[in-house]
């Protein structure tokens, strides 16, 4: 087993990932704001829509989470030569961070689940450009999060799972990959067919919660796996 480089800034990177997990958890903002959106029919990204009172807070949280994920990828560079799966994990974190950061910088103009006028303006093309740009950045972030989950499982599998803690992290990472992929397929089919297939709210909130937990526990789980 390849040893973790001595110059690897474990404590700093752990703190950065924990902070990114907290900031990415817009479930906390939704709770503090008193659940302003219908949790069954809305996406959490609607908290950042420009017509919502939570907009500045939601976008600041996403921007901070994205910047911290990019920082974590940079801090982890000394470990990239350990194995291709470690390099893949760091690259995936960078993609996830970049997508999340640009997601915050390209918010929707209005929240479709709240306003019928917003939905009509989107269908009429008036708010379409902002929506399309937001969907692109959200897709990049989603792909990055799925890849982080997959590569985390691969790293843990190769390094012997790391006991109970490592297996818990592996389960979280697998759940992130599965729920994010499921959500992406559902929303993709909805866009392609133009039909409302299933209310996405609960699935997305579960998935976001899993992502937050994975980010906060990822590095301790990997460390235990590599030091067994």
């Amino acid at each position: 087993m390849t040893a973790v480089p001595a110059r690897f800034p474990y404590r700093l990177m752990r703190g950065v990932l924990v902070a990114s997990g907290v900031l990415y958890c817009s479930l906390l903002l939704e709770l503090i704001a008193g659940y302003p959106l219908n949790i069954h029919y809305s996406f959490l990204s609607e908290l950042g829509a420009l017509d919502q009172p939570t907009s500045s807070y939601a976008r600041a949280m996403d921007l901070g989470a994205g910047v911290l994920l990019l920082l974590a990828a940079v801090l982890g560079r000394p470990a990239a030569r350990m194995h291709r799966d470690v390099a893949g994990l760091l690259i995936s974190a960078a993609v996830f961070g970049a997508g999340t950061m640009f997601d915050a910088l390209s918010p929707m103009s209005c929240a479709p689940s709240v306003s019928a006028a917003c939905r009509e303006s989107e269908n009429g093309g008036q708010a379409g450009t902002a929506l399309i740009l937001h969907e692109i950045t959200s897709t990049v972030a989603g792909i990055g999060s799925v890849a982080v989950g997959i590569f985390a499982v691969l790293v843990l599998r190769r390094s012997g799972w790391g006991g109970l803690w490592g297996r818990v992290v592996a389960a979280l990472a697998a759940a992130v990959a599965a729920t994010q992929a499921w959500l992406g397929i559902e929303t993709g089919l909805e866009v392609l067919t133009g039909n409302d297939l299933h209310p996405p709210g609960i699935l997305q909130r579960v998935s976001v919660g899993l992502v937050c937990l994975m980010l906060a526990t990822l590095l301790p789980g990997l460390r235990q796996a590599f030091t067994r």
Side-chain angles (χ1 to χ4, degrees):
M1 183 182 297
T2 306
V4 178
R7 64 186 184 281
F8 181 75
Y10 172 78
R11 290 185 179 180
L12 177 57
M13 188 171 176
R14 180 186 61 188
V16 167
L17 282 174
V18 170
S20 70
V22 172
L23 288 176
Y24 190 74
C25 200
S26 48
L27 293 166
L28 298 175
L29 176 61
E30 186 176 48
L31 172 63
I32 293 170
Y35 294 98
L37 304 174
N38 184 309
I39 63 172
H40 294 282
Y41 293 95
S42 66
F43 284 100
L44 283 167
S45 57
E46 291 182 53
L47 291 170
L50 296 178
D51 67 338
Q52 295 300 300
T54 53
S55 177
S56 58
Y57 303 106
R59 288 185 288 124
M61 289 175 69
D62 275 354
L63 182 62
V67 170
L68 289 175
L69 283 167
L70 288 172
L71 177 59
V74 172
L75 291 172
R77 285 183 62 190
R81 296 182 181 180
M82 292 174 61
H83 196 273
R84 285 176 296 179
D85 52 19
V86 177
L89 179 61
L90 294 171
I91 293 170
S92 301
V95 172
F96 183 19
T100 302
M101 185 174 67
F102 286 110
D103 210 19
L105 297 174
S106 56
M108 293 180 286
S109 57
C110 54
S113 70
V114 175
S115 168
C118 179
R119 292 191 296 274
E120 291 173 3
S121 68
E122 287 178 355
N123 294 333
Q126 298 174 24
T129 302
L131 178 64
I132 291 172
L133 182 58
H134 182 79
E135 287 177 345
I136 291 172
T137 56
S138 295
T139 299
V140 171
I143 291 172
S145 65
V146 170
V148 168
I150 292 172
F151 279 110
V153 172
L154 292 176
V155 173
L156 286 162
R157 178 187 178 189
R158 177 177 56 82
S159 53
W161 299 114
L164 178 60
W165 187 250
R167 290 179 186 276
V168 169
V169 174
L172 283 172
V176 165
T179 55
Q180 288 284 77
W182 180 9
L183 182 65
I185 291 171
E186 279 207 358
T187 53
L189 288 173
E190 184 174 332
V191 170
L192 290 174
T193 62
N195 298 321
D196 294 331
L197 301 180
H198 189 275
I202 298 299
L203 173 60
Q204 195 215 12
R205 284 161 176 78
V206 169
S207 186
V208 167
L210 290 169
V211 170
C212 299
L213 290 173
M214 179 189 70
L215 291 175
T217 58
L218 179 61
L219 214 56
L222 291 176
R223 184 184 191 187
Q224 184 168 333
F226 278 107
T227 56
R228 289 182 74 228

